[in-house]
Each structure stands twice: as structure tokens, then as C-alpha cells.
Amino acid sequence: MESSSSALPPPAATRPAASLSAPSGLLELLRRMPALLLIWAVPGLISAIQNYTYAQDKDPTYPFSRSLMMVLPPWEYWALATPLILWLGRRWRLEREGWRIGLAVHVPALLGLMVPHVLLAYSMGCAAGEQFYLDLHPAQILPRMMSKYIITDALIYGGILAVSYAMEYHRRYREGELAQSQLETRLVHAQLDALRAQLHPHFLFNTLNAISVLVRKQDTAGSIRMLTGVSELLRMALNTTGRQQVPLHEDLDFLERYLDIEQTRFQDRLQVVRDVDSATLGALVPSLILQPLVENAIKHGISARAGAGHVELRASRDGSRLVLEVLDDGPGLAPGWNTHGGCIGVANVRARMQQLYGERYTFTLENRPEGGVRARLELPFQLASPEAA
């Protein structure tokens, strides 16, 4: 009935190159023009001061305004060129994949930007009355200026790209940290939800009532088993190791404690069928991912039945995929059931899967043709490390 998959921000190396359309990207960058003019004025002023200081040795009457006129505009030219370079850098990235195409775009762009830059520098030199520029014909001096400026302009062009990439990588790193923080929050919520389920008054009441029945029957072994099960379940729920993923057998261990108690509560009304491929026990799964699905199957499937019901748990491998299924034979999902949100447990499962696997998972919750509900998870098959398994 429903399938959910949504992408996390992909790794930098595989992210699509173009994140902004040409008009919107350029408009956004043009809005930053005042700041760019101020930034590029800094090296312009420094160069003007250096040029003025050098000129004083030859001509003490050399005015600072003349040096400023000759040097500052060529530097400010890069403020105008920066939005275009940034847009080209985002559209054709110089990364491991596609760097040849990137070079094929950026080298001509650099040469194209150099021509007006050199012409501007030449024009300002003439306007400032610099004899060097006035004595030579443009056909003589411009090729020499191109040779002189090519290294400087290449460094400026590359520097703009490098700074923009560094800022983008930093932003992605912060986004990754935020996503990790949200993931950890989801895990804590899952652990709290699991603990809350175990501490639910009805759960505790029914569990204690089941224990009292066992005591009255003088079933000491059964009473001890129930008390041990509750204690162990609470201990495992409180044991917040912070691991987002655990081997499947660990998640099944926790689930078994929960099922032991629920089976005692429901007695013959709850029958659990397990079909778990042993080859999947070492596969990594999100911690506490099965308990809310089984809880839903019992709460909405078995509890709604007058007679006995089945909950079936399946785990198998399908190529590079791990398939987990929880099935019940209850009344099924009601018409109009919110397939996108669902209950808190289902929404939490979906959110955690999305954050852990991005587009690489599938989660479906649907009515079975023969009655009941099937919850199905497909995720990448990843074996835990030998120490963890």
C-alpha cells in the first residue's frame, strides 16, 4: 500500500553538480555584490599602498590617488567576476568524477575573464598617466600583460573556486552532523518508546496479574521466568549503548524478551511463528527496529481478535538486500488509514530508516489478501564486524 524512501544529502563526491539554476543562482550571488566589492577592495588597497610606496623612491610627488586609480579597479573587477566563477564552479565541479569536463569549461572561462581584466588594467594605467602604458602600442603591451597576468589570474580564479568548495564542504559537514544528531535523537526516542511500552500500566498490570496467576498455581518456575523476563526486558531497554545499528540477533534477543511476556499475557491467544534465515543473524539492522512493528501487530492485530491469532516474523536475504517482515492475521488496516504518517512507532521506524539509508530502503505496510497486515522492510545487507556479531 505504501512505500517510503527519501534521500539524505548525498556525499559530496556524488552530489549532482548543479544545485542552483542559472537565473536564481546568479541573482542570489548578485545580491551579495556589495559584500564582494568590500572584500576585493582589501587586496586592491594593499596593492595601491605597495605601488605608492615603491613609487615614492623614484618620485616623492607621486600621489596616492594615482596609485589607487591604477590598481583598485582591476581588483574590483574580480568582485564582478566572482558570481560567474561561483556559478560555473557549481555547474561544472572540479572533482574526481567529471574533472575533465570541468577543466574544459574553466580554462576557457579563465582566459575569457582575463581579456577584459587586462584591458581594464591597461586602460586604468593609461588613465593614471603611467608612461609605461602610454609609450607602447596596445598591440605590443597587451600580449605582454596577458603573459604577466596569467599566473596571478589563474591563482585568483582557482582561489575563488577553492574557497567556495571549502565553504560548501563545511556546510555539508555541518548538515551531516545535524543529520547524525537527529538520528541519535530518533534512537533515543525509539528506546524511550520501547521502555514506555514495557512500562505501560496495562502491560505491567497484565504482566503482574499473569505472575500472580502463576503463583496461585504454585508454578514457581513460571513465576521466576516471568519476573526474570520483565527484569531483563527493562535492563535491555535501559541499556542505551548509543549504537544506531546492531546485528540482527541482538535485536531478536530483545524481541524475544518482549514476546515471552506477551505470550504469557495472551497465553494461547498469541502464537508466534519465526522464519529467520540463520545467514541473516549477523546482518546489521537499526537498533530496536522490530519491536514497534511486532507491538503494532499484537496491539492492532491480535488484541482485536476474539480468538487466537498469529504473529509471524521473517528474515531473509534477497541478493544484496535484507528483508524483514512482520505479519499478523488480525482485522487489517482500516480504510483511510494514514499511510504516510501512521502511529508514532511506525513514523519513528520510517524516519530512522530514511536517515540511515536514504533512498536505499523500502518500508511497506499493507493489508494481506488472506487477511491481516504485513510490515515489510528492505535494507542493504551489511554484515556486522566479527567482534559485534
Side-chain angles (χ1 to χ4, degrees), residues 39-198:
I39 291 172
W40 285 106
V42 174
L45 285 173
I46 294 174
S47 296
I49 292 172
Q50 289 177 333
N51 186 64
Y52 170 75
T53 303
Y54 178 75
Q56 292 301 300
D57 292 337
K58 298 179 180 178
D59 182 6
T61 63
Y62 190 92
F64 180 71
S65 58
R66 185 176 174 183
S67 177
L68 200 63
M69 176 189 294
M70 189 175 65
V71 174
L72 186 60
W75 277 104
E76 291 287 22
Y77 167 83
W78 291 110
L80 302 176
T82 296
L84 176 61
I85 297 172
L86 293 178
W87 181 78
L88 290 173
R90 291 174 180 175
R91 182 68 181 83
W92 290 280
R93 303 181 67 84
L94 292 173
E95 293 180 333
R96 181 176 300 175
E97 296 180 1
W99 65 271
R100 292 182 178 86
I101 298 176
L103 278 182
V105 171
H106 288 293
V107 171
L110 168 63
L111 297 176
L113 289 171
M114 279 189 62
V115 174
H117 181 228
V118 169
L119 288 175
L120 178 62
Y122 169 74
S123 300
M124 298 314 299
C126 293
E130 287 293 326
Q131 203 60 42
F132 174 77
Y133 297 99
L134 295 174
D135 289 343
L136 296 175
H137 191 273
Q140 294 177 293
I141 194 171
L142 288 178
R144 294 169 61 182
M145 290 183 68
M146 287 289 287
S147 301
K148 173 186 175 183
Y149 276 92
I150 189 167
I151 295 178
T152 304
D153 286 5
L155 290 175
I156 292 173
Y157 190 104
I160 293 172
L161 288 181
V163 170
S164 70
Y165 288 162
M167 293 176 67
E168 185 175 344
Y169 287 139
H170 177 70
R171 177 181 59 78
R172 291 183 185 181
Y173 174 74
R174 296 296 301 269
E175 289 177 351
E177 282 190 325
L178 179 60
Q180 180 64 26
S181 174
Q182 291 173 339
L183 198 57
E184 291 173 355
T185 301
R186 290 286 183 185
L187 176 59
V188 171
H189 285 175
Q191 291 165 334
L192 289 176
D193 288 343
L195 182 59
R196 189 184 301 115
Q198 299 3 300

Side-chain angles (χ1 to χ4, degrees), residues 151-370:
I151 295 178
T152 304
D153 286 5
L155 290 175
I156 292 173
Y157 190 104
I160 293 172
L161 288 181
V163 170
S164 70
Y165 288 162
M167 293 176 67
E168 185 175 344
Y169 287 139
H170 177 70
R171 177 181 59 78
R172 291 183 185 181
Y173 174 74
R174 296 296 301 269
E175 289 177 351
E177 282 190 325
L178 179 60
Q180 180 64 26
S181 174
Q182 291 173 339
L183 198 57
E184 291 173 355
T185 301
R186 290 286 183 185
L187 176 59
V188 171
H189 285 175
Q191 291 165 334
L192 289 176
D193 288 343
L195 182 59
R196 189 184 301 115
Q198 299 3 300
L199 293 175
H200 193 280
H202 292 293
F203 177 84
L204 282 180
F205 172 80
N206 291 326
T207 303
L208 293 175
N209 187 54
I211 294 173
S212 67
V213 171
L214 293 174
V215 171
R216 282 197 294 270
K217 291 181 178 179
Q218 297 183 344
D219 185 353
T220 306
S223 303
I224 293 175
R225 183 169 60 85
M226 280 286 293
L227 288 171
T228 303
V230 173
S231 174
E232 183 67 14
L233 188 66
L234 295 177
R235 185 191 67 77
M236 294 178 73
L238 288 169
N239 186 19
T240 55
T241 60
R243 288 183 296 169
Q244 293 290 349
Q245 293 175 295
V246 297
L248 177 60
H249 67 81
E250 286 192 22
D251 215 47
L252 290 174
D253 286 344
F254 179 85
L255 191 60
E256 286 301 323
R257 302 295 188 280
Y258 175 75
L259 285 172
D260 282 346
I261 296 171
E262 292 289 39
Q263 282 187 296
T264 304
R265 283 182 51 205
F266 286 89
Q267 297 182 352
D268 295 336
R269 288 183 56 207
L270 172 61
Q271 297 176 9
V272 180
V273 178
R274 300 166 181 82
D275 182 10
V276 178
D277 185 348
S278 59
T280 65
L281 293 177
L284 286 174
V285 299
S287 177
L288 300 176
I289 201 67
L290 291 173
Q291 190 273 339
L293 300 179
V294 173
E295 181 186 344
N296 274 348
I298 295 175
K299 182 177 180 181
H300 302 291
I302 307 305
S303 297
R305 292 175 59 95
H310 292 79
V311 170
E312 186 170 352
L313 178 65
R314 299 175 181 172
S316 60
R317 179 174 183 174
D318 182 10
S320 61
R321 309 283 284 174
L322 175 66
V323 181
L324 304 173
E325 291 181 308
V326 177
L327 307 95
D328 67 69
D329 55 358
L333 299 170
W337 183 80
N338 184 357
T339 56
H340 295 288
C343 65
I344 294 175
V346 171
N348 198 6
V349 168
R350 181 179 291 114
R352 292 182 63 208
M353 295 289 289
Q354 179 177 321
Q355 287 187 297
L356 274 171
Y357 303 109
E359 294 180 337
R360 300 177 299 147
Y361 86 97
T362 302
F363 175 36
T364 59
L365 194 62
E366 59 186 1
N367 284 324
R368 303 168 64 193
E370 61 271 38

